Amino acid sequence: MSSRESTPLSCNGVDDLHEDTVTDKTLKGLLKREIELQLQIDAIQTEIEQLEERLGTKTTLDDVEEQDLEEFEAPEWCVPIKANVMTFDWDSLAKEVQFDVIVTDPPWQLATHAPTRGVAIAYQQLPDVCIESIPIPKLQKNGFLFIWVINNKYAKAFELMERWGYTYVDDITWVKQTVNRRMAKGHGYYLQHAKETCLVGKKGDDPPNCRHSVGSDVIFSERRGQSQKPEELYELIEELVPNGKYLEIFGRKNNLRDYWVTIGNEL
């Protein structure tokens, strides 16, 4: 009897062991899948937050447009040109004037997603090939290029500088602040982001009246309207090249400035 009783006990032990093994493999598989899904969710959330920041820190476009219409007043001596940057007649502009300083804030395409559809007056995200096609070299024989860059486009920005005939000479860090002068931290994939970077390239000789060792490569300034860059950058440029010919590409009306030519479809 004892031997007969021991047999089913042995079989149950094997079955239990097999069941435990299957359960363990299933659990590990589910945990692995959970990690993969969480990484995908984190990546999507990061893109959403970056888009919200570009569109104005989670305010709706209607709210931004209404506020802009109520409060906006263009500087008296600015030269705004509302136009599609991709189809603008750059050749005609280049024949009329060569610029000492060019500033551009390209609407870099995030990750590997297709360009966003946007709205009537908002910039779409542009693939790198479209940004490359802007004839920057025709607009400047000698002078400086200031190009705003996002984290995953540093290498591309350096490549564009070289392709357009510029040598990297410096960079400027904008540390974003709140109205209480604290760092305005945003979300990032690994680290929280509280800054933007503007790369500086130079082509040919120094433009007339160019000064050296001016200003600072760090700007502490409050984060303001939709994609609005700090006024200190423009002041720095005007100190670097006094009485120069200044151009901003992909400009927005909240960055219009006296004695600057600003081209974009959000003016």
Side-chain angles (χ1 to χ4, degrees), residues 79-97 99 123 126 130 133-136 138-139 247-250 261-265 267:
V79 184
I81 302 175
K82 184 173 182 177
N84 185 336
V85 170
M86 303 312 304
T87 58
F88 183 70
D89 186 1
W90 295 107
D91 288 338
S92 295
L93 180 63
K95 290 178 182 178
E96 293 295 328
V97 60
F99 293 94
Y123 288 128
L126 291 178
C130 292
S133 67
I134 301 172
I136 298 289
K138 294 182 178 180
L139 301 167
L247 169 67
E248 182 167 13
I249 302 174
F250 293 111
V261 177
T262 305
I263 301 175
N265 66 347
L267 300 179

Side-chain angles (χ1 to χ4, degrees), residues 53-101:
E53 183 175 354
R54 181 177 287 277
L55 291 174
T57 62
K58 302 186 180 181
T59 56
T60 67
L61 287 175
D62 290 340
D63 290 341
V64 171
E65 291 170 20
E66 183 178 352
Q67 181 181 5
D68 287 348
L69 287 173
E70 291 177 354
E71 300 179 1
F72 176 73
E73 184 176 347
E76 182 178 1
W77 302 106
C78 68
V79 184
I81 302 175
K82 184 173 182 177
N84 185 336
V85 170
M86 303 312 304
T87 58
F88 183 70
D89 186 1
W90 295 107
D91 288 338
S92 295
L93 180 63
K95 290 178 182 178
E96 293 295 328
V97 60
Q98 290 288 292
F99 293 94
D100 300 312
V101 179

Side-chain angles (χ1 to χ4, degrees), residues 20-44:
D20 290 344
T21 302
V22 171
T23 302
D24 186 53
K25 288 182 178 179
T26 302
L27 180 60
K28 288 182 178 178
L30 289 173
L31 289 173
K32 181 179 179 182
R33 181 60 177 159
E34 180 185 15
I35 293 172
E36 292 173 349
L37 289 173
Q38 188 59 54
L39 289 173
Q40 293 177 18
I41 291 171
D42 291 344
I44 292 171

Side-chain angles (χ1 to χ4, degrees), residues 136 138 158 232 246:
I136 298 289
K138 294 182 178 180
F158 283 118
E232 289 85 346
Y246 314 115

Side-chain angles (χ1 to χ4, degrees), residues 203-242:
K203 176 184 177 184
D205 299 326
D206 287 347
N209 303 321
C210 179
R211 302 170 61 192
H212 292 189
S213 192
V214 300
S216 171
D217 61 354
V218 179
I219 294 172
F220 293 90
S221 181
E222 182 181 334
R223 183 178 60 190
R224 298 180 290 171
Q226 176 189 358
S227 299
Q228 189 170 5
K229 301 309 180 187
E231 187 174 356
E232 289 85 346
L233 176 77
Y234 301 94
E235 294 172 349
L236 173 63
I237 289 172
E238 292 166 1
E239 186 179 2
L240 176 69
V241 186

